[in-house]
Amino acid sequence: MRRLFPVTDQTSADQTDREWSLDELAEAYEYPELGPDGHWLRANMVSTLDGAAQHDGRSQPISGETDMRIFGTLRALADVVVVGAETVRQEGYRPARAREAFSARRAAAGQGPAPVIAVVSASLDLDFALPLFTSPLAPTLVLTGAAAPTDRVTEAAAAGAQVVVAGDGAGVDPLRAVRELADRGLRRQLTEGGPRLLGQFVAADVLDELCLTISPTLTAGDAQRISGGPSVTVPHRLAPACLLEEAGFLFTRYRRI
């Protein structure tokens, strides 16, 4: 991996032609210091040069080896991974696994061996027989609204999931979801989409950071962008924080101003 540097201080760049270690990646993507009531929501997404977040409904075809290393690093730093139900279905989500390379870092931060997975779903149209719900290292959370189908709530709980009400109606209120997770001690938050969920976080102005991989590919077609849904009244401006490059992929990091 090459060219890891704060974009505001390129003179200090380490441009040696080598692969960066997991420890170096963890330091580059370290969460900011959080106060006793603080929380930080980070998104990790990938996009082609022409703006597609998926190809044939999945992100894997536009990803790469280093993108997956960063994907794993971001998970290893998080308390919780927040994901939409459609992404769970499309990407075949499994429980987060413990990784020896990050065990000491997580223990020092007071974290469990792996992040909690939190699935956002209004209908709870999920397969609760999947390992994501039946055999995770920490119980999977299901974020839903107060009007969620009672039978599905019961089925989720029977499978071992913890149902968290984060909205007064059928759906989830993004701000309430972030706060509900933080109240459970899950303050270092990571969302991996999909685009509709990220769009809801953007519209609610609760996103603190975007980690965006720009894939050196073109797909055309009508694939979704990384963020979908209604547009915001005024575009949200973020500040660049870090840039990595490898094999034509750009790994960008932007923070709330």
Side-chain angles (χ1 to χ4, degrees), residues 199-216:
Q200 292 170 356
F201 284 136
V202 170
D205 196 20
V206 296
L207 186 70
D208 298 299
E209 179 179 323
L210 173 64
C211 298
L212 176 63
T213 295
I214 301 174
S215 171

Side-chain angles (χ1 to χ4, degrees), residues 119-132:
V119 182
V120 177
S121 177
S123 67
L124 275 68
D125 181 16
L126 298 159
D127 184 355
F128 294 115
L130 292 176
L132 176 62

Side-chain angles (χ1 to χ4, degrees), residues 236-251:
H236 299 172
R237 184 72 177 267
L238 303 180
C242 187
L243 174 67
L244 297 83
E245 181 274 339
E246 191 272 336
F249 284 80
L250 295 179
F251 305 97

